[in-house]
């Protein structure tokens, strides 16, 4: 079943993938290390799968479900993750650099060691996520309102200072940052 599912993913046949996964009640299938960069997989159901180290860079995954999945060290750099469900997902060491995760749900998701630099989490639900303060983020990370963040999380603190003040001013001047 793993190979069949993988072939459907690579063909970007989301409907057939979701149907086969549901029919076979496929959970726990190991797709670790798969390269899915640049694919259009909107509305795919990756819930309950082992996606350790999968490369989703620059992919479109709008409305996808990753609930209960192992996404340790997964790469979401530049990916469209709008409206995704990451509830109870293990995101330890995952890379979200420059990803668009607006209005995504992260209830009970573990962010330990994740890289969230320059990611957009506008309107995302992060209030019940785990280890967000152990993630790496910077002044370019866009956070939701405080109601959608854990009570003990300080979004004003930058966990990294990779950018000098000149870099920050240049990005602001070039329109890469919104003036909040």
């Amino acid at each position: 079943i793993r190979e069949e599912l993988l072939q459907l993913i690579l063909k970007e046949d989301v409907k057939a993938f979701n149907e086969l996964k549901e029919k076979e009640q496929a959970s726990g299938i190991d797709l670790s290390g798969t390269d899915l960069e640049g694919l259009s997989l909107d509305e795919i159901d990756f819930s309950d799968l082992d996606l350790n180290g999968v490369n989703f860079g620059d992919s479109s995954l709008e409305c996808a479900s990753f609930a209960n999945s192992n996404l340790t060290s997964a790469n979401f750099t530049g990916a469209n993750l709008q409206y995704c469900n990451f509830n109870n997902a293990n995101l330890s060491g995952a890379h979200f650099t420059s990803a668009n995760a607006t209005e995504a749900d992260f209830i009970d998701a573990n962010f330990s060691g994740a890289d969230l630099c320059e990611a957009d989490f506008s309107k995302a639900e992060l209030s019940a996520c785990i280890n967000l303060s152990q993630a790496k983020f910077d002044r370019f990370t866009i956070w939701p309102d405080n109601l959608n963040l854990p009570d003990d999380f300080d979004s004003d603190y930058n966990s990294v200072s990779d950018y000098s003040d000149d870099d920050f001013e240049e990005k602001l001047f070039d329109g890469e940052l919104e003036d909040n």
Side-chain angles (χ1 to χ4, degrees):
I1 180 104
R2 178 192 183 281
E3 289 304 316
E4 291 175 72
L5 290 172
L6 192 53
Q7 288 306 311
L8 292 172
I9 294 168
L10 295 174
K11 290 179 185 175
E12 299 178 86
D13 193 342
V14 172
K15 183 178 178 185
F17 174 91
N18 289 345
E19 288 172 357
L20 180 61
K21 184 176 177 277
E22 182 179 341
K23 177 184 166 200
E24 298 293 326
Q25 298 179 344
S27 64
I29 292 177
D30 186 352
L31 298 176
S32 297
T34 306
D35 185 3
L36 305 179
E37 184 173 10
L39 297 180
S40 180
L41 301 170
D42 296 343
E43 300 182 15
I44 197 160
D45 181 9
F46 279 128
S47 60
D48 302 304
L49 299 179
D50 186 352
L51 302 166
N52 180 9
V54 172
N55 179 12
F56 294 104
D58 296 318
S59 290
S60 181
L61 297 154
E62 189 169 317
C63 299
S65 178
F66 296 94
N68 305 307
S69 289
N70 176 16
L71 292 155
T72 303
S73 301
N75 178 22
F76 292 103
T77 301
N80 177 14
L81 305 170
Q82 284 186 289
Y83 312 107
C84 284
N85 176 354
F86 287 95
N87 294 343
N88 203 41
N90 183 356
L91 300 168
S92 297
H95 298 272
F96 286 86
T97 307
S98 300
N100 176 6
T102 57
E103 298 191 55
D105 287 327
F106 294 94
I107 296 169
D108 294 325
N110 182 358
F111 279 99
S112 182
D115 184 346
L116 312 179
C117 293
E118 300 184 29
D120 185 351
F121 291 98
S122 303
K123 300 180 183 176
E125 180 52 63
L126 294 162
S127 64
C129 70
I130 302 165
N131 298 323
L132 189 58
S133 60
Q134 294 178 16
K136 177 176 144 182
F137 56 94
D138 59 18
R139 69 175 99 194
F140 305 112
T141 304
I142 301 171
W143 299 108
D145 295 334
N146 283 336
L147 290 174
N148 288 3
L149 288 169
D151 291 336
D152 62 346
F153 182 71
D154 182 4
S155 62
D156 292 328
Y157 168 77
N158 293 320
S159 67
V160 296
S161 54
D162 291 338
Y163 300 98
S164 68
D165 287 337
D166 291 338
D167 291 335
F168 179 74
E169 293 298 325
E170 184 179 330
K171 283 186 177 255
L172 185 61
F173 180 76
D174 290 342
E176 293 180 45
L177 298 175
E178 293 179 22
D179 191 18
N180 291 334

